[in-house]
């Protein structure tokens, strides 16, 4: 496929994504108004946005069965224990300080409201990773080109899919805390460890407190974290949509587009 066709393909995809954001904003406002007097207007496990449109107290997690690279090879996250040594992208092995667990349950008639896992298909990111399909919560950040990007911003509907377990009525999520915030390897893809941004989101938070006491401040991120409010996310897709006219995309826009371009080319082959 020629570069011109790839650019037009990207523009069409980004225009559709921008349109969905606009429509989604309208639907969200309508639903919020309709449910203003409801006991739980945000649905199950939904985190209300702050004044900038970003979620509050969001915890990123791995779905049960995710293999984490350790000194003994890949081990399913639910089989790991405090004190086990895992690999980091920096090359320094680190001991696990805490493993958070949380179970989410929904009624058949009730959606996950943004808490369903994002599926990152095998080789979706760069043709090399992850080595197997990886399922993470939407706000779990992936380490790409020196920045941390929540998985939800990389969704393209082909190689990276939101709400990838629509049939599931329950989800078991886990996360790993080290002494410092690090890039660890899940299915051989670089992703973040736990930043300790909301300990109470875990079902076993009391275990942490009994050993370490109150959690204190969140860990300092080892790399910049990309966070969009709805308006900024819309602007990102508009920049991509306008590439046939002029390319003024930001580096993060180019990362997302690069992954989506690869997915569409592979799908069309």
């Amino acid at each position: 496929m020629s570069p011109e066709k790839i650019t037009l393909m990207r523009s069409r995809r980004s225009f559709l994504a921008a349109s969905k954001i606009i429509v989604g904003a309208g639907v969200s406002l309508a639903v919020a108004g309709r449910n203003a007097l409801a006991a739980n207007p945000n649905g199950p496990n939904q985190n209300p946005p702050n004044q900038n449109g970003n979620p509050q107290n969001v915890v990123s997690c791995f779905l049960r069965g995710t293999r984490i690279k350790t000194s003994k090879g890949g081990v399913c996250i639910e089989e790991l224990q405090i004190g086990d040594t895992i690999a980091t992208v920096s090359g320094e092995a680190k001991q696990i300080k805490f493993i958070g667990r949380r179970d989410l349950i929904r009624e058949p008639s009730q959606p996950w409201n943004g808490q369903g896992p994002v599926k990152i298909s095998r080789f979706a990111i760069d043709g090399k990773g992850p080595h197997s399909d990886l399922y993470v919560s939407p706000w779990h950040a992936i380490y790409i080109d020196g920045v941390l990007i929540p998985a939800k911003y990389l969704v393209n509907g082909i190689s990276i899919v939101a709400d990838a377990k629509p049939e599931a009525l329950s989800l078991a999520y886990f996360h790993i805390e080290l002494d410092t915030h690090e890039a660890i390897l899940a299915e051989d893809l670089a992703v973040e460890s736990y930043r300790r941004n909301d300990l109470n989101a875990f079902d076993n938070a009391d275990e942490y407190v009994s050993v370490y006491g109150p959690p204190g401040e969140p860990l300092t991120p080892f790399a910049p974290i990309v966070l969009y409010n709805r308006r900024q996310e819309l602007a990102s897709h508009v920049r991509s949509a306008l590439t046939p006219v002029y390319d003024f995309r930001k580096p993060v826009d180019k990362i997302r587009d690069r992954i989506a371009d690869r997915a569409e080319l592979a799908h069309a082959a």
Side-chain angles (χ1 to χ4, degrees):
M1 187 177 294
S2 68
E4 292 79 11
K5 287 185 177 180
I6 293 175
T7 301
L8 290 173
M9 175 182 68
R10 181 187 308 135
S11 180
R12 180 174 64 253
R13 180 184 67 233
S14 299
F15 176 79
L16 291 173
S19 300
K20 289 180 180 178
I21 292 173
I22 294 172
V23 171
V27 171
S28 296
L29 288 173
V31 171
R34 187 182 66 211
N35 295 332
L37 299 179
N40 186 20
N42 292 305
N45 304 292
Q46 179 75 2
N47 295 287
N50 60 23
Q51 63 181 354
N52 296 318
N54 292 324
Q56 303 178 81
N57 301 325
V58 165
V59 175
S60 53
C61 295
F62 302 101
L63 204 61
R64 177 188 294 275
T66 301
R67 289 175 295 181
I68 306 298
K69 188 173 183 179
T70 74
S71 56
K72 300 178 181 179
V75 178
C76 290
I77 191 166
E78 66 271 20
E79 297 175 4
L80 291 171
Q81 298 180 5
I82 292 174
D84 286 347
T85 301
I86 65 173
T88 68
V89 171
S90 68
E92 182 181 359
K94 296 269 189 173
Q95 284 192 333
I96 294 175
K97 178 178 180 180
F98 175 68
I99 300 176
R101 305 187 308 271
R102 61 175 178 152
D103 293 318
L104 303 185
I105 301 174
R106 69 176 178 89
E107 295 296 328
S109 61
Q110 200 172 31
W112 281 117
N113 275 1
Q115 291 297 299
V118 171
K119 175 186 175 182
I120 303 175
S121 298
R122 183 173 183 253
F123 300 157
I125 299 300
D126 55 6
K128 300 177 182 178
H131 282 186
S132 299
D133 293 348
L134 172 64
Y135 294 86
V136 296
S137 58
W139 291 99
H140 203 131
I142 314 303
Y143 185 50
I144 308 173
D145 293 357
V147 295
L148 288 161
I149 308 175
K152 73 186 301 290
Y153 296 148
L154 300 174
V155 168
N156 54 49
I158 302 175
S159 63
I160 303 180
V161 180
D163 291 323
K165 297 282 187 179
E167 75 289 350
L169 297 180
S170 64
L171 299 170
Y173 278 126
F174 298 79
H175 210 352
I176 295 170
E177 180 180 349
L178 309 175
D179 284 332
T180 54
H181 188 228
E182 300 283 348
I184 62 178
L185 295 165
E187 305 295 352
D188 284 314
L189 183 67
V191 298
E192 67 171 336
S193 63
Y194 177 44
R195 296 198 305 269
R196 202 198 301 143
N197 49 321
D198 184 16
L199 183 65
N200 290 328
F202 292 119
D203 298 337
N204 61 330
D206 57 332
E207 295 177 14
Y208 183 101
V209 175
S210 67
V211 175
Y212 303 109
E217 293 297 317
L219 299 176
T220 301
F222 71 88
I225 302 171
V226 175
L227 285 177
Y228 288 145
N229 58 34
R230 199 184 299 271
R231 182 177 60 185
Q232 292 166 333
E233 188 175 4
L234 174 60
S236 173
H237 285 289
V238 169
R239 288 191 293 269
S240 292
L242 293 176
T243 50
V245 179
Y246 183 75
D247 190 354
F248 60 107
R249 292 174 297 164
K250 295 183 178 181
V252 174
D253 306 334
K254 293 181 179 180
I255 292 172
R256 181 197 62 229
D257 291 343
R258 183 178 73 215
I259 294 169
D261 289 347
R262 179 183 296 108
E264 292 202 13
L265 287 171
H267 185 70

